[in-house]
Each structure stands twice: as structure tokens, then as C-alpha cells.
Amino acid sequence: MELCLPCIAVWSFVAYLILQVVRWIRADSDLTVQWAEWWGKKPEKELPRKVVWVTGASSGIGEELAYQLAKIGSWLVLSARRENELERVKKKCLEISSLSDKDILILPLDLTDRGSHESATKTVLQHFGRIDILVNNGGRSQRSLFVDTSVNVYNAIMELNYLGTISLTKFVLDHMIQRKQGKIVTMSSVMGIMGAPLATGYCASKHALQGFFNSLRPEFTDYPEISIINICPGPVQSQIIQNVFTEEISKVNQNVGDQSHKMTTHRCVRLTLVSMANDVKEAWISDHPYLAVCYMWQYFPTWAWWLLNRMGKKRIENFKSGVDADVSYYKKSL
């Protein structure tokens, strides 16, 4: 029996479309990342014995990154402002992995203190001799309406999320250029792709990071072994809501609400590691409806604006009533 190549091509395409629909229904990441997770390179093979520097490693996504990387066997540099919390994270990393004490470097770091970034980079190089991957995870979100928010808050957000990130990146990239290899992984956000009320400053900082790293990537075409990777999570169960900026720099957020409806930090980090291992340039990691809105924002912006006006209004109502801003229309991940 002769093979009908056109028929094979047609049925292969149909099978591909069916598979994409199944993935869309599951929808806990964008299609590129799911493809990489199922058939791409595995973090367990690509990341052991790599020196990975994680900022914002004392809580949330950064903390979970430390744990999963430790289990894989990556050598770690853990940075944040709170040294005692970093020590707690290191202790657990040692308990759950085969790493030794010298395989994990605690390096307290304030991203807004840009004058310290060069010496911090030198400290890492003195300890490990190289930096294979920098994970720009440090930063803070926001929950406040623009009309109520001091401009000082916007300045603080940009200093931390944007300028602090690109400052540290500059010194690490100098080292990677010398080695002609490395990965710069930046935890952006779906808010770097679309907009949302209550987070005008946060969205602005993430849009800035997206623009910066998307512009930086083509500057390194002569360095094919240097990867620029943007990770764009949606709402995730972490301490980010407790630590957000509000109307004033010194004001603490009181509207934390229930976070159980959001993607687990474990799942978000797993997909982040898959993206790192496969050099995915941009990964959207989210459940619906945020993932759907990302696609709409990319391909059908007029519809996205209409939808966001409706969702945004409810988001503000939730925030003012003291519950999580997204709880009323968010579907719990399976």
C-alpha cells in the first residue's frame, strides 16, 4: 500500500489542531511552553551543575525556584534584602537536595542600591568562577488607583522593578560576553503584555522590562549562546500581594484576600524551568482568563480593550470590598 503524502500531511495537521485545542482547554501555559514541557529539553538534564543566580529568593516564586533548582542539582546564588530569610531558604535547599554548603551562596542584595551590583557580581565570580544563568526575579507589585497614588510610589516601582533589574543585568552580561554564553531570565508578567487597573505603575515597569529585553535580544545576534528569556506569569499563589506598593510607599496593603484560586507557585516555577531549559524567548504562564486575554491583546486588541473594561470594573469593585481583586472571574487551576 502506497503512502499518500498529502493525506498524511492533512491528517497530521488535523491531529495537531486537536492537540492544540486540548492544550487550550487545559490552559495553564501558552502553547509554546506546553510543547517544550512535553517534547523539549528537560530541566533535569539541562540545569544540573549550572550556576544560577536568583534575585528575590527569600519568598514567593524566587523561593520556589531555589527549591526546584536545588533538587535538580543547580548551584545557587540566593539574593534578597533579608539575609535571615535567605538562610532559611538555603537550609531547606540543603535538606531536600544533595547539594553541599559551598554549592549555595547567600548574597544579600538591594536592587535599588545600584552601586553595589558590580561588587556583588564579583563576589559570585570569586565563589563559583562563572555565572551560567541570572534570574531577575526581584520586584514588587502594586494595588492602588492612580488618582490616589503618590508619584513617589511610581518612582520607587521603576527604581526597583526596572532600573535595578537592568543594572544587575549589565554587570552579569559583561561576564557572559567574555564567556560567550549564558542565560538572562527575567520574571516579567502578563501585565507586561496587557494593562490592568490597580497596577498602573507595576504594568509600566513590566512593559519597560519587555521593551528593554526585546530590544536587547537582537543586539546579541553575534552571541548565539547568550539567551534572553522573558517569563510572563499571571496571578500566582505567593507573597506578592502582601508586599505590594499601595497609595503611599510606607502604607501596607490590607486587602490580601484568598489566593487559593490562582496558579500554584510550584506549577509556575516548573514551567519557568522548562522555558529556561529550552531557551523559550517569551513564555506566558497563566490560567484563564488571563491567558485568553493575553492572546486577545496580541491579536484582537479592540476586543481586548472592551473585555478589560468589563473585567477591570469588577476588579476595582472586588479590591474596594476587601477581597482579592481577581477572585470573582478566576477559574481555579486543575
Side-chain angles (χ1 to χ4, degrees):
M1 179 178 178
E2 295 184 1
L3 294 175
C4 176
L5 294 181
C7 292
I8 293 174
V10 169
W11 283 110
S12 297
F13 182 67
V14 170
Y16 171 77
L17 289 179
I18 293 173
L19 182 61
Q20 301 294 48
V21 170
V22 171
R23 289 177 181 165
W24 176 261
I25 293 172
R26 183 167 180 244
D28 65 354
S29 70
D30 89 277
L31 302 182
T32 303
V33 185
Q34 288 190 3
W35 182 278
E37 183 187 18
W38 290 5
W39 289 293
K41 299 175 182 177
K42 302 304 179 185
E44 290 78 9
K45 291 186 177 181
E46 298 297 319
L47 301 180
R49 300 177 71 84
K50 297 292 185 183
V51 178
V52 186
W53 187 358
V54 181
T55 66
S58 62
S59 64
I61 291 175
E63 179 178 351
E64 181 63 27
L65 272 166
Y67 299 149
Q68 292 195 29
L69 286 166
K71 289 179 180 178
I72 288 172
S74 302
W75 296 336
L76 298 173
V77 182
L78 304 180
S79 288
R81 291 178 301 170
R82 299 175 295 173
E83 186 172 2
N84 61 323
E85 288 299 301
L86 293 175
E87 292 290 354
R88 175 185 60 80
V89 174
K90 177 178 179 177
K91 180 180 179 182
K92 183 172 179 180
C93 285
L94 293 173
E95 290 172 352
I96 63 176
S97 73
S98 60
L99 296 179
S100 65
D101 184 76
K102 65 180 178 59
D103 296 331
I104 304 177
L105 173 63
I106 296 298
L107 183 60
L109 183 73
D110 184 348
L111 283 175
T112 62
D113 182 11
R114 285 180 267 148
S116 68
H117 295 175
E118 182 176 14
S119 62
T121 304
K122 289 180 179 178
T123 299
V124 177
L125 295 177
Q126 288 170 358
H127 187 88
F128 285 113
R130 70 181 194 273
I131 302 169
D132 295 304
I133 304 172
L134 170 65
V135 183
N136 288 314
N137 175 70
R140 289 176 66 183
S141 188
Q142 177 195 10
R143 286 291 186 277
S144 61
L145 293 168
F146 170 68
V147 294
D148 301 325
T149 306
S150 166
V151 174
N152 292 333
V153 170
Y154 291 92
N155 182 70
I157 291 175
M158 295 303 289
E159 281 284 347
L160 174 60
N161 293 3
Y162 176 62
L163 292 174
T165 295
I166 66 173
S167 171
L168 185 61
T169 296
K170 185 172 180 63
F171 292 109
V172 174
L173 262 179
D174 286 343
H175 162 69
M176 291 181 175
I177 289 170
Q178 293 175 19
R179 296 184 66 221
K180 297 185 178 180
Q181 62 181 329
K183 300 177 191 283
I184 301 294
V185 181
T186 300
M187 301 303 295
S188 180
S189 170
V190 295
M191 298 295 191
I193 299 168
M194 58 186 183
L198 300 170
T200 47
Y202 180 72
C203 289
S205 69
K206 295 302 184 179
H207 274 72
L209 288 173
Q210 290 286 107
F212 175 81
F213 285 106
N214 286 339
S215 300
L216 178 65
R217 193 180 293 112
E219 292 187 11
F220 282 83
T221 53
D222 291 336
Y223 298 89
E225 297 302 314
I226 295 180
S227 303
I228 307 294
I229 300 169
N230 291 340
I231 306 295
C232 302
V236 173
Q237 296 175 21
S238 71
Q239 287 84 9
I240 191 171
I241 298 300
Q242 289 91 324
N243 300 324
V244 295
F245 285 104
T246 59
E247 298 93 330
E248 300 292 341
I249 292 177
S250 60
K251 185 177 178 181
V252 177
N253 178 40
Q254 301 295 332
N255 296 346
V256 175
D258 179 26
Q259 304 294 307
S260 63
H261 54 282
K262 299 179 179 180
M263 178 182 284
T264 65
T265 311
H266 183 276
R267 180 62 180 162
C268 175
V269 168
R270 176 60 188 176
L271 294 177
T272 297
L273 297 185
V274 169
S275 302
M276 289 166 55
N278 289 274
D279 292 327
V280 176
K281 291 181 174 62
E282 182 170 294
W284 302 350
I285 298 175
S286 180
D287 294 309
H288 287 317
Y290 268 101
L291 187 60
V293 176
C294 283
Y295 278 98
M296 289 183 67
W297 199 276
Q298 188 88 355
Y299 301 109
F300 310 101
T302 300
W303 292 2
W305 296 331
W306 174 83
L307 179 61
L308 195 61
N309 283 339
R310 295 175 63 87
M311 294 172 67
K313 184 176 181 180
K314 186 62 179 176
R315 197 168 194 260
I316 295 171
E317 290 175 356
N318 288 342
F319 175 74
K320 288 183 175 180
S321 65
V323 299
D324 184 79
D326 305 318
V327 67
S328 62
Y329 52 77
Y330 205 84
K331 192 173 183 179
K332 187 178 177 68
S333 58
L334 299 177

